[in-house]
Amino acid sequence: MSSLPNSGLKAFVNARLMDPASDLDVAGGLIVKDGKISDVAPGLFADGAPKGAEVIDCEGHLLAPGLIDARAYLGEPGQEQKETMATASQAAAAGGITTIAAMASTDPCIDEVALVQYITRRARDTAIVNVVPTACVTRGRRGEEITEMGMLAEAGAVAFSDGHRAIGSPQVMRRALAYATGWDLLVIQHPEEPSMAASGAMNAGEMSTRLGIPGVPSIAEVMMVERDLRLVEMTGGRYHAACISTKASIDAIRQAKDKGLPVTCSAAAHHFALNELAVGEYRTFTKVSPPLRSEEDRLAVVAGLADGAIDCIVSDHSPHDQEAKRLPFAQAADGAIGLQTVLPLALELHHTKQVPLMRLLDALTRAPAKMLGLSSGRLAAGAPADLVLINLDMPWRITESMFLSRSKNSAFEDRPAQGRAIRTIVAGETVFDLSET
Amino acid sequence: MTKAAKPLDNPIPSSSQLAEGHLLGIEGLNPLEIGYLLDKAEGYVDHNRQVDKKLDILKGRTQINLFYENSTRTRASFELAGKRMGADVINMAVEGSSIKKGETLIDTAMTLNAMQPDILVVRHDQSGAVNLLAQKVDGAVINGGDGSHEHPTQALLDALTIRRRKGTLSGLTVAICGDIAHSRVARSNIHLLNIMGAQVRLIGPPTLVPKSFERMGLEVHHDMRKGLKDVDIVMMLRLQMERMQGSYVPSTNEYFHFWGLDYEKLSAAKPDAMIMHPGPMNRGVEIATDVADDIDRSAIREQVEMGVAVRMACLEVLCAQRQAS
């Protein structure tokens, strides 16, 4: 964060407080001191704010813990032409996100202690929201030798992931999960059987057949998830399947949770907001990994979010420049930006009554905080004053011109939306205010 | 100064492997047998410090050291033990032998057996190979280390070292640290310490100290400072090079950071905790040089000395047992 926490009191009054961690949904107020929440209560300040406090009138809007995005690629180091921590954090702030877990698949990738420290330093110096580093599971993301996970965690890595590259060898995954138990570290898998997915560019199905694009079969995902679940059962390692996209793999995770395995998973917003038909006439901005799936799979993602089988919603923010995307479909890079669209897309599920609002916020605050071991993600005295003020009903349209990311490869351009972040607060300081844009 | 081979005071039950005239492992021995071997060995410690070390207890006996794996200290120790006891000792190294030409273990055993050796000391890289060989020969077989299975004379020499310093084994808390999963030294020591009433804790990364050891009734720790809390003995194990680079452990750097014995981690143990290592040491990987060389704490060189005495005792007891039966 660029600004120091303000030592003065700040009173958020007239808010609809909503906090999944304490199952709170009530009219009330919140007071911030020294960058931390010092009190939160229903009816707080009904008789007026304390003297000397800066008063922020929430006008009845929803005040929630700032969103936590467990999976975003921030460009630094190595691809600053696509994204920087400065630009990504501005986009995050505008999207209501107060903490980003930076993916380790940079160039060089984050597989050494010095690089974890670099991420932390760059974030401190240039980002306006919190950026927490993740580190690679294997050296060079080669899937062969595990990294110095213990020392990387000591240096601040909150989780371990090889980014959009699956850990293909079961023996390496077994060792990584077992080794991670020494510190209860989280291993994040890109759930895709690599040899099955190698040549594919979109979901294998009728659409890919018609377009003549090689497909990634949906079973490539469940094969990897089921394999990993066996290894979790064997090793006791804490496991997260990122960006899960198929009905079969969601069912597998659901069963594993019923068995009590230490397993979580996440869904990227595009996997519940779009299906494979969005590829249309070879729109490379819809080329993501795992690919957009069938409508049946999309509905399964929605259902998984509703019943909690899917713990978190992530942006899977993957900025790419024109050079990487203005190519024949199969040659184009995977990924879409998402920091500014994750909240409005999640709110769609609330407005269409498919997923309760509390559960959606849970998937964006409490669940990722718990998974990553963060003290934020809740409205509680002592927690960091990372907050988002959400106007649930504001109608607007997602347009290219509003994107603050250095890359503009959104799959949601021109999509109408309802509800957005109107103010974002990090450690008590406002880092985004819609009324000032 | 000679001692005659006396018949045993018969602490050996007939079901024991010692009764069959082999020492294949610690598992299955009873406290009396272990105590007996240690008492015998104790007597040779002072003897070995004399100028004239030659005895004639095993005069006329033939001892063959058959080493399928490289070894310096164990082979030298067995060779010296045999020679000091008066036996004729030959060493068979696998390098340049018919084994390299493709002879099977059993064929080699039968060939050597035809030469009527009284004692075969065997080291092999495969667990169970020494047991297999013992079924095929007439002489006494001593396991000099088989795969990841057992290394009984190492555990006995460790026990003798502990007993001489601490007076007893029973009631002590012993931490064994490092690559437990692949260590024959660890397995033999776990058995011996359990049999003799010591508490054993295992410390190391989860990849090298799997949870399955908990099912053996042992305490498993991945945090070395917690594992070393108030222990009497710290036994360090060697980390094999091939296990370091990312397969079981990411690097020697990380290994030393979390599981290398230095004074900081050692401060969790009792102030008079003794440090042991079967050798050869990787300084700066599993043990810091200053700790390894601390003459007040480290018993590492003493262990080597006890090794010869323990092996003399084992040779004597096995030969006496065979003579008696």
Side-chain angles (χ1 to χ4, degrees), chain B residues 138-165:
Chain B
D138 301 318
V141 175
I142 298 181
N143 184 353
D146 66 321
S148 303
H149 177 222
E150 284 239 37
H151 191 356
T153 56
Q154 178 71 43
L156 288 166
L157 73 87
D158 287 341
L160 183 60
T161 310
I162 296 171
R163 210 177 72 166
R164 281 171 60 92
R165 283 238 190 161

Side-chain angles (χ1 to χ4, degrees), chain A residues 61-72:
Chain A
H61 290 307
L62 192 155
L63 186 66
L67 310 186
I68 296 166
D69 184 0
R71 193 169 173 91

Side-chain angles (χ1 to χ4, degrees), chain B residues 227-261:
Chain B
L228 287 183
K229 181 143 179 44
D230 297 330
V231 301
D232 298 285
I233 311 285
V234 185
M235 277 189 185
M236 300 307 298
L237 298 174
R238 174 181 170 77
L239 183 65
Q240 304 284 342
M241 279 292 176
E242 64 270 22
R243 313 226 205 275
M244 287 181 210
Q245 298 306 331
S247 54
Y248 290 88
V249 174
S251 67
T252 55
N253 198 15
E254 169 135 327
Y255 190 83
F256 186 75
H257 181 70
F258 290 105
W259 299 286
L261 186 67

